[in-house]
Amino acid sequence: MELNNLLISGNLIEEIQSILDEKDISKNVRYKDENEVTEDDLEWADAYVGFKPKASLDFSKVKWVHSTGAGVDRFLDERNWDPGVLLTRTIASFGQKIAEYSLSYILRHLQKHNQFIQYQAKKEWNPVTPGILSEQRVVVFGTGEIGQVVANKLSSLGVSVTGVSASGSGKPYFDQVIAQNKDLTSYLSNANWVISTLPLTSDTNGMLDEKIFTKLNSAGFINVGRGKTVNTNHLLNALDDEKIHTAVLDVFEEEPLPQSSPFWEHDNVIITPHISAETTPAEAVACFLETLEKVEASENFKNQVDIDRGY
């Protein structure tokens, strides 16, 4: 594929431009704010690189679209994708970052951090025995690249990890993988934590609802996938019914999270602003340049998006 004109936008545009300016990529490059990209820009471009494009953009005008993030729902939602246009995504250290993020909150709960902080403030000497990881059972929704890294890190510390996926096909580092259309009651009722790494697709939209949450028995819930995969009202009901003791939420249906959201003031909700696996500029450029080289050389690459599956 011949690619001469590159249109680069997105949340890391200034940093990416600074890095690419130091490299000789022998291309015509146009940098524009995502909200300022026009149809004329797409007429000019052979390839578009971005993070959260305007919904009105017609990508059928270009040959290749590359997301600087791991997810591509922002490109596919409410858009009829031209099958002749290649779509790729960034692969970086997302799995490692999300595994560490998830582990930090599991350990925070097991080690009774909140309790000891409260005891210290009251000058109370109150020994409470912490829990241990090797007794924990975790269910991970999503067994792709990120889910597998999460399972790897947790299982290496003695955690029992069950995966849930569309197919139920076995994957490395999971004790077992169950198809999402099977009866998950026994796995969910015995889970200490549920972690969602699900991408947003037509199949996963609203998938984590009362059918999942009502089967839990005072478990922790971590969402590092996509906000729209969770039914917000059903999650709040599960928190109020103590089916979930703590919800750690990094992604939301609407971002930034509106101030009117009940999550802000809920005692058992921890909010982080979609930071569990941010792409660094260096990672974004490295993946983009590697993909560019392979696309032009018609070589195989592992970050092509299956449009029908949405990831």
Side-chain angles (χ1 to χ4, degrees):
M1 184 184 295
E2 186 175 354
L3 301 166
N4 296 313
N5 299 330
L6 308 179
L7 174 60
I8 298 179
S9 65
N11 58 331
L12 300 175
I13 184 172
E14 293 181 2
E15 296 90 339
I16 290 175
Q17 180 174 1
S18 177
I19 296 172
L20 287 180
D21 283 347
E22 298 179 359
K23 300 178 183 289
D24 181 15
I25 61 173
S26 302
K27 303 291 182 186
N28 303 312
V29 184
R30 183 180 294 181
Y31 299 95
K32 294 198 71 171
D33 183 278
E34 273 181 320
N35 293 321
E36 297 176 357
V37 173
T38 66
E39 294 299 324
D40 288 340
D41 291 319
L42 293 177
E43 291 280 4
W44 170 85
D46 296 311
Y48 173 88
V49 179
F51 180 71
K52 191 177 182 180
K54 293 188 297 185
S56 60
L57 294 181
D58 179 9
F59 289 123
S60 66
K61 295 176 170 30
V62 302
K63 302 175 183 177
W64 171 41
V65 174
H66 179 73
S67 169
T68 55
V72 292
D73 49 281
R74 299 181 183 93
F75 292 84
L76 298 177
D77 275 1
E78 301 179 7
R79 202 189 306 269
N80 293 321
W81 194 265
D82 184 335
V85 178
L86 173 67
L87 178 61
T88 58
R89 63 186 183 88
T90 296
I91 293 179
S93 57
F94 302 129
Q96 177 72 27
K97 293 173 181 177
I98 283 177
E100 292 180 5
Y101 175 96
S102 301
L103 180 60
S104 72
Y105 286 102
I106 294 173
L107 284 172
R108 175 181 182 271
H109 179 75
L110 287 175
Q111 294 295 323
K112 315 292 185 184
H113 286 187
N114 282 356
Q115 286 179 258
F116 290 125
I117 289 171
Q118 293 170 5
Y119 294 151
Q120 180 176 343
K122 298 176 182 178
K123 299 180 181 179
E124 293 182 1
W125 185 271
N126 192 357
V128 177
T129 303
I132 57 176
L133 285 168
S134 61
E135 295 179 350
Q136 298 299 291
R137 294 175 297 277
V138 174
V139 174
V140 178
F141 281 80
T143 61
E145 179 187 359
I146 290 174
Q148 288 176 43
V149 177
V150 171
N152 182 16
K153 301 305 177 184
L154 292 178
S155 62
S156 70
L157 294 169
V159 178
S160 172
V161 187
T162 295
V164 178
S165 71
S167 67
S169 300
K171 293 291 180 65
Y173 312 115
F174 291 95
D175 293 296
Q176 62 264 317
V177 177
I178 313 300
Q180 62 194 37
N181 62 354
K182 300 295 184 182
D183 185 0
L184 303 175
T185 302
S186 63
Y187 305 100
L188 293 172
S189 63
N190 289 311
N192 300 105
W193 288 86
V194 171
I195 301 173
S196 175
T197 67
L198 290 171
L200 179 61
T201 69
S202 58
D203 291 332
T204 64
N205 194 343
M207 190 177 87
L208 300 174
D209 59 11
E210 61 185 358
K211 294 190 296 295
I212 302 297
F213 298 140
T214 56
K215 293 180 172 64
L216 300 177
N217 183 21
S218 189
F221 175 66
I222 299 174
N223 190 12
V224 285
R226 282 292 183 264
K228 289 184 178 180
T229 63
V230 175
N231 184 306
T232 296
N233 289 332
H234 293 181
L235 173 57
L236 287 167
N237 290 339
L239 283 160
D240 293 340
D241 293 341
E242 299 184 353
K243 295 291 184 178
I244 294 174
H245 63 68
T246 306
V248 181
L249 307 176
D250 186 53
V251 290
F252 301 88
E253 185 171 357
E254 182 181 350
E255 295 179 7
L257 183 65
Q259 292 188 359
S260 59
S261 171
F263 285 137
W264 285 114
E265 298 179 354
H266 201 292
D267 291 339
N268 296 322
V269 172
I270 298 171
I271 293 170
T272 57
H274 205 148
I275 48 75
S276 62
E278 291 189 298
T279 307
T280 67
E283 288 175 325
V285 170
C287 184
F288 163 65
L289 291 179
E290 179 182 354
T291 308
L292 172 63
E293 181 179 348
K294 291 182 180 296
V295 168
E296 289 196 300
S298 298
E299 296 179 2
N300 294 327
F301 43 91
K302 59 183 180 179
N303 55 331
Q304 180 174 354
V305 174
D306 183 325
I307 302 302
D308 292 333
R309 298 173 69 185
Y311 54 93

